[in-house]
Amino acid sequence: MSAAAKSIAIFGGAGFLGRKICENGIALGYSVISFTRLGSPPANLAKEPWVSKVNWQKGNIFEPETYKAQLRQVDAVVHSIGMLFENTNYKKTLNSNVNFLNDVQNLANSLKGSNPMQRNSFNTYGAVQRDSAVLLADEFVKQFKSAHENSTDKPAFVYISADKNPPIVPKEYITTKREAEFELMSKPDLRTIVLRPGIMYDAKAASLTPRGILTLMTQLGHATKQVVVGDQVSFLNDLVRPPVSTDKVAFTLYDLLEDKLFSGICTLDEMAL
């Protein structure tokens, strides 16, 4: 294997951060495989020049048979799958143009939790944020060892975690993230890299969306804190966190991947420097 990993598989590659990891990987010369439910990029990205250079694959993270062959072809895997609420109505709200009444209704539905009649073992915090990551990591180690029988290298596994539990989001969100971190970092045959971003934004995206407005409010709140009290009040440092761009998170990911001596946790404060 080369001194720096140059092939990567991304699970959640069509997501808000995942697509930026794909894009930056292509820009850095990586061979990129992106797994999505449909095996294709989001329609709104079709004209982006990097999209055609990604190997889009259909896969179900809970069914290793759908992706284990491709894992033999890569040096690193990224788990970028997660959810703020078990009811996913909030995704429509965050990424759409502002429509106050619809946004309020979607958020209200998300806060109610998932419909018990529709809930199954694969759309809970524990399944999506912890169990799927552990399952993927175990399969990756297995396939890596099979494909590199004489290698002493450890395969690199990147887990996208979170800085803090967001306001109004159930505590299980961050609990299952931390449980996944512990499980992954306990695996002796894996070089685990954990990224803990906070609120993320796309620097190129339109600002007139709920996500864009949330970013502006977060930036304003953090800038005000820095001017008024700086970093002198510890509880405010924990409460008022800086937003970080998806570009910054993605480039940090690749920087850490290429530093073969690094494993462990990269915090929001380290990314935001």
Side-chain angles (χ1 to χ4, degrees):
M1 194 166 66
S2 60
K6 285 296 180 183
S7 56
I8 190 168
I10 302 163
F11 288 74
F16 183 66
L17 174 61
R19 63 188 67 179
K20 188 62 66 173
I21 298 172
C22 290
E23 179 183 0
N24 287 6
I26 293 297
L28 292 169
Y30 280 72
S31 173
V32 178
I33 301 175
S34 178
F35 286 92
T36 68
R37 292 178 181 176
L38 301 178
S40 58
N44 63 331
L45 296 181
K47 295 183 179 180
E48 294 288 335
W50 58 269
V51 169
S52 62
K53 299 176 183 179
V54 173
N55 179 6
W56 298 92
Q57 293 283 327
K58 183 177 181 179
N60 183 334
I61 198 167
F62 294 105
E63 299 177 4
E65 291 292 329
T66 65
Y67 55 78
K68 69 178 186 179
Q70 287 87 349
L71 293 186
R72 296 172 62 89
Q73 306 169 20
V74 299
D75 307 307
V77 166
V78 177
H79 182 285
S80 183
I81 301 173
M83 57 190 193
L84 285 174
F85 301 98
E86 291 181 343
N87 184 325
T88 57
N89 283 318
Y90 74 93
K91 292 185 178 181
K92 300 175 184 177
T93 299
L94 283 180
N95 298 305
S96 64
N97 290 327
V98 173
N99 182 322
F100 182 76
L101 293 179
N102 285 345
D103 292 346
V104 170
Q105 184 61 56
N106 283 334
L107 182 57
N109 289 338
S110 298
L111 290 172
K112 292 177 183 177
S114 56
N115 185 335
M117 299 298 293
Q118 298 177 343
R119 181 170 175 156
N120 59 60
S121 59
F122 298 116
N123 66 358
T124 65
Y125 288 114
V128 172
Q129 301 188 157
R130 180 194 61 228
D131 300 344
S132 70
V134 175
L135 175 66
L136 176 60
D138 287 341
E139 187 63 34
F140 182 36
V141 169
K142 177 181 175 182
Q143 297 303 327
F144 185 90
K145 286 184 174 181
S146 178
H148 305 83
E149 293 181 0
N150 298 318
S151 175
T152 59
D153 288 334
K154 293 182 180 180
F157 189 93
V158 182
Y159 179 69
I160 306 301
S161 188
D163 173 54
K164 302 287 183 182
N165 203 76
I168 76 174
V169 173
K171 194 69 175 179
E172 194 176 0
Y173 166 81
I174 198 66
T175 299
T176 53
K177 291 275 193 183
R178 295 293 182 261
E179 289 171 348
E181 292 178 12
F182 176 80
E183 293 285 345
L184 294 170
M185 290 191 290
S186 297
K187 296 184 180 299
D189 297 324
L190 199 67
R191 180 167 76 97
T192 299
I193 298 171
V194 173
L195 299 183
R196 288 182 177 176
I199 292 176
M200 291 182 285
Y201 64 94
D202 184 345
K204 299 177 183 177
S207 59
L208 193 58
T209 64
R211 189 187 292 275
I213 293 171
L214 177 61
T215 298
L216 291 174
M217 293 173 61
T218 304
Q219 289 173 324
L220 178 60
H222 185 260
T224 300
K225 179 191 79 76
Q226 293 300 98
V227 170
V228 176
V229 298
D231 294 324
Q232 303 304 310
V233 182
S234 59
F235 84 90
L236 282 179
N237 293 337
D238 290 334
L239 183 64
V240 183
R241 307 296 288 152
V244 62
S245 73
T246 51
D247 263 319
K248 184 70 173 178
V249 177
F251 278 123
T252 299
L253 183 156
Y254 287 106
D255 283 344
L256 296 178
L257 265 183
E258 297 192 3
D259 178 1
K260 294 192 69 176
L261 297 179
F262 181 88
S263 64
I265 297 169
C266 179
T267 67
L268 170 62
D269 294 318
E270 291 170 318
M271 278 182 274
L273 291 176

